[in-house]
Amino acid sequence: MRKTLLLFGFLLLFSINQPLQAQYEKTDTSYKKCFVGSTLFLLGNFSKVNPPGFAQLNLGYRITRKDVLSLELITWKHAWPLGINPFYNKNYGKPEEKFPGYIREYGVGLAYQRYLWKGLYVAIHATSMWQTFKNENGTKIDNGFIIFNTNRVGYHIKLFKDKFFIEPSLGVAGRAYYTEMPAGFKEKDDKWPKWTPEPGLHFGYNF
């Protein structure tokens, strides 16, 4: 996880040092309306503690030069409560905080971005997640459902003549709605907050 954080920091620093260009001004005669992308959280799959089996695909459409709508397909699994933030909480990965198994989640979400000034934007992500609870042996014991929301402030940076982009951001993520967890999982989860800060670095290809 530390290596992942170091790489995240390096890429964030790299992005800040790139020339900051306006998003899509009125002077643009043409621009790519569609894009496909993902997030740097994919690097978490290399973690030795609680590798999430994470995958995400973003399909986006620029409604106007300032308004963007995206469809997000996502899956991950976690054996520790989401309220234990791996970026700053030392309790992440401790055996005493671990669930009696793990949760696999599959989700479909929508994200709306609004550009405020040049590449500066705010975004709201809302994702419906279907959960499968499994015990230590990998046997399914229950199902669940959550609505996972993230609110972000970030900056859109064009790369390679606007063929690619990166979007470093800071946000707050959490569960706006969730069904009750099975015994053992609930006791662990109730100890931690339902909302935590979350850095982000999305990337994509325009077409």
Side-chain angles (χ1 to χ4, degrees):
M1 180 57 70
R2 289 184 179 179
K3 291 181 179 179
T4 302
L5 290 175
L6 287 174
L7 183 57
F8 176 86
F10 171 78
L11 291 174
L12 186 60
L13 181 62
F14 169 80
S15 68
I16 292 173
N17 287 330
Q18 294 300 302
L20 300 183
Q21 303 179 39
Q23 166 56 12
Y24 295 101
E25 302 292 348
K26 293 180 180 179
T27 55
D28 291 346
T29 56
S30 64
Y31 66 98
K32 304 293 193 302
K33 286 194 171 184
C34 300
F35 63 87
V36 60
S38 190
T39 169
L40 198 67
F41 282 154
L42 291 168
L43 294 177
N45 292 325
F46 297 102
S47 174
K48 294 181 180 179
V49 179
N50 192 32
F54 178 89
Q56 181 170 333
L57 177 65
N58 299 341
L59 302 171
Y61 181 76
R62 297 187 173 92
I63 304 170
T64 70
R65 287 174 168 82
K66 289 189 175 183
D67 301 284
V68 183
L69 194 64
S70 301
L71 175 68
E72 300 181 335
L73 307 176
I74 183 172
T75 181
W76 71 61
K77 64 182 177 71
H78 55 100
W80 276 263
L82 292 178
I84 308 177
N85 193 303
F87 292 100
Y88 64 82
N89 196 316
K90 295 181 180 180
N91 288 289
Y92 185 84
K94 287 187 176 181
E96 59 268 28
E97 301 299 340
K98 186 178 182 297
F99 288 137
Y102 66 90
I103 308 171
R104 165 60 74 176
E105 300 179 342
Y106 297 91
V108 178
L110 286 175
Y112 169 72
Q113 288 176 294
R114 174 69 180 181
Y115 287 88
L116 305 177
W117 176 78
K118 294 188 176 181
L120 181 66
Y121 71 86
V122 293
I124 299 174
H125 304 247
T127 306
S128 298
M129 306 289 297
W130 288 265
Q131 301 176 305
T132 300
F133 294 85
K134 295 189 177 184
N135 63 19
E136 298 286 1
N137 298 321
T139 302
K140 177 182 173 180
I141 58 175
D142 205 350
N143 291 317
F145 177 80
I146 66 172
I147 296 177
F148 192 83
N149 285 11
T150 307
N151 303 310
R152 295 189 180 279
V153 176
Y155 204 97
H156 178 97
I157 300 171
K158 302 176 185 179
L159 299 175
F160 305 108
K161 297 182 179 180
D162 200 23
K163 290 184 178 180
F164 298 90
F165 66 85
I166 55 175
E167 292 179 340
S169 65
L170 293 174
V172 177
R175 289 163 283 177
Y177 171 82
Y178 53 95
T179 56
E180 186 169 331
M181 293 182 173
F185 287 81
K186 184 179 186 302
E187 288 76 8
K188 297 290 185 180
D189 187 74
D190 284 348
K191 296 168 57 178
W192 301 97
K194 301 299 184 287
W195 296 84
T196 63
E198 182 183 275
L201 184 57
H202 289 76
F203 59 87
Y205 171 75
N206 295 314
F207 63 94

